[in-house]
Amino acid sequence: MSGEDNKHGVDSQPHWDFSSGWDARLFEDLRGGGELLSVDVLGTQFAVRWGRSVTLEQQQSMRSAWSRCPGAGAPMIPPLAKEPTESLPYSASVSYLSQTYDGGTFPLQAASFAELAENLTSRLTVAAILENAGELMMLHACGVASPETGAVVALVAKSGTGKTTAASLLAKTFGYVTDETVAIGPDGYVVPYPKPLSVKQGPGTPKRQAGPDELGLLPAPAKPFIQSIVLLNRVEPDTTEGTHQEPTLRKLPLADGLLALIPDSSSQAEIEEPLQSLCRLIDRVGGVWQVTYSEAEDLPAALAPLFRKQRRSKPVWEARAEEPESGPIPDGWIRRVEPKDAVAIDGDLLVMLEAEIVRLSGIGPAIWEATASAVPLDRLTEQIGEVHGRPEDYRAAVAAAAGQLIAKSVLEQVGE
């Protein structure tokens, strides 16, 4: 065990507890196959038991890669890993302490150790996200923090669009928080997830799991908190002029920022008041920014101002999630559905349903307000006319808009 591992709290000699009545075969299997890997992912404790094809050197490489996510307490004992097959010679078995039930286990099998390691990282992340659903706001982002203040900048982007590259470069100057999930608590604190970085190796090959120590990344500060949220927008460099393209930083309108973050958040719909809570977070950090760049080397200087305290945004949104009137709907009448959440922003209305968010513009918000209780189409048309006027084709426009919202499941209609 290296001194670097000890520095991050990895104990090379686990303390086995035999009080649960293990049989001799179990103990011999563990002793012959190496130690369990015990890790903490966003507060969930995992134990990994390797299959017999995984060498001690490969196990050591994973202990080193996960050294900044050490598990606490006595290890859980996963079941025996699956036996190797000709096509899937590498295997592992994982157990974890679940908050929702007594415990969870899952097996892994792969054609190569690199594939097994990549699958393990993915499965641990997904399981931990599900465990924290409804408790933490989780952005699909890399996070780096000021070593002096703990201020975290979350860089939001889809897989394969530059998060890991940005994290591996920025975290040589700032503390490495995560390259995958920035998890934010109710008071703005950030739960670090300094997992191995998944480094691309080439088309069709598994990503290599490289530990932050191996890449020389700075550790996360003791008490990180969210300071800024930035959307990564990487563009190909313009080589026609032969000049260097400087990165640009701009703040997005609230509705645009909100709609951009929702697809890159995990289990946001499980949070109480999911749209309102995200609006409050955006207000807290002073808005959502977008950085457009072509070279990752330009990011440290471009993002430096966002590690400083931002002026809180003045709220420009209002909640619009009141429950509609209950009871049966008369045939042909129209009433809005009960949403998960709804907010009004600058004249538009964002409505979160079970499966999607619908943005209502033009006469859409007025239709929403008018259908809190069931109404026939002709009465709805007159109410919208009172708000927006009565041009020659306004009846057809209201009927078409209502039909679109019924098709989108924003409104419901019985009998027609």
Side-chain angles (χ1 to χ4, degrees), residues 14 21 67 76-77 88 95 140 151 201 211 224 226 228 237 246 249 264 270 275 312 334 356 364 369 374 379 385:
S67 63
M76 301 159 289
I77 306 303
L88 299 171
S95 292
H140 192 212
Q201 296 299 293
I226 191 67
S228 298
E246 294 294 333
L249 194 63
D264 287 311
E270 303 300 318
L275 293 181
R312 289 196 177 206
I334 300 168
E356 64 175 327
E369 295 295 336
R379 188 188 305 169

Side-chain angles (χ1 to χ4, degrees), residues 346-392:
D346 294 332
D348 287 355
L349 184 71
L350 304 185
V351 179
M352 176 178 276
L353 307 173
E354 292 292 336
E356 64 175 327
I357 295 177
V358 180
R359 185 174 188 171
L360 308 185
S361 302
I363 63 174
I367 291 176
W368 174 266
E369 295 295 336
T371 53
S373 57
V375 293
L377 179 59
D378 57 353
R379 188 188 305 169
L380 173 64
T381 303
E382 289 305 311
Q383 290 176 335
I384 301 307
E386 292 174 1
V387 176
H388 285 276
R390 296 180 174 87
E392 183 177 350

Side-chain angles (χ1 to χ4, degrees), residues 83-347:
E83 284 295 303
T85 66
E86 185 174 346
S87 60
L88 299 171
Y90 291 91
S91 61
S93 178
V94 181
S95 292
Y96 61 100
L97 292 176
S98 171
Q99 300 298 316
T100 54
Y101 49 91
D102 290 341
T105 64
F106 57 85
L108 294 170
Q109 260 188 307
S112 67
F113 177 71
E115 181 183 345
L116 180 70
E118 182 181 20
N119 291 347
L120 175 66
T121 299
S122 177
R123 290 294 300 274
L124 294 183
T125 301
V126 170
I129 285 173
L130 292 175
E131 284 295 303
N132 285 287
E135 302 296 328
L136 300 172
M137 277 193 272
M138 294 173 282
L139 301 177
H140 192 212
C142 74
V144 289
S146 164
E148 293 81 19
T149 66
V152 174
V153 172
L155 305 171
V156 181
K158 292 178 171 49
S159 296
T161 58
K163 289 197 318 301
T164 296
T165 301
S168 61
L169 189 145
L170 286 163
K172 289 181 170 64
T173 302
F174 305 100
Y176 173 60
V177 176
T178 185
D179 79 330
E180 176 63 33
T181 301
V182 174
I184 305 165
D187 296 329
Y189 67 87
V190 172
V191 182
Y193 179 25
K195 58 178 278 296
L197 289 83
S198 298
V199 180
K200 291 181 180 178
Q201 296 299 293
T205 59
K207 296 178 181 177
R208 185 173 74 88
Q209 305 307 294
D213 290 336
E214 175 190 344
L215 299 176
L217 307 189
L218 299 180
K223 296 181 178 180
F225 61 92
I226 191 67
Q227 183 76 288
S228 298
I229 298 174
V230 186
L231 303 177
L232 286 180
N233 179 35
R234 185 179 182 277
V235 296
E236 291 299 321
D238 183 2
T239 58
T240 56
E241 299 294 331
T243 57
H244 179 70
Q245 286 181 268
E246 294 294 333
T248 59
L249 194 63
R250 71 182 184 96
K251 187 182 292 189
L252 298 179
L254 175 58
D256 293 344
L258 187 69
L259 289 171
L261 290 182
I262 287 289
D264 287 311
S265 62
S266 299
S267 305
Q268 182 64 23
E270 303 300 318
I271 296 280
E272 185 178 357
E273 299 178 340
L275 293 181
Q276 296 177 58
S277 64
L278 197 49
C279 284
R280 285 190 286 267
L281 173 63
I282 293 171
D283 289 344
R284 180 190 190 99
V285 300
V288 175
W289 297 81
Q290 182 183 68
V291 60
T292 300
Y293 69 104
S294 58
E295 302 295 341
E297 290 76 10
D298 294 329
L299 287 176
L303 298 177
L306 299 186
F307 288 90
R308 297 191 289 269
K309 187 173 182 179
Q310 306 296 310
R311 182 186 297 275
R312 289 196 177 206
S313 297
K314 183 179 179 180
V316 295
W317 58 276
E318 294 181 10
R320 287 287 189 273
E322 300 87 356
E323 294 183 14
E325 182 182 89
S326 59
I329 302 175
D331 283 354
W333 290 32
I334 300 168
R335 186 174 67 197
R336 74 186 190 212
V337 302
E338 182 179 352
K340 278 187 171 291
D341 204 1
V343 293
I345 303 173
D346 294 332

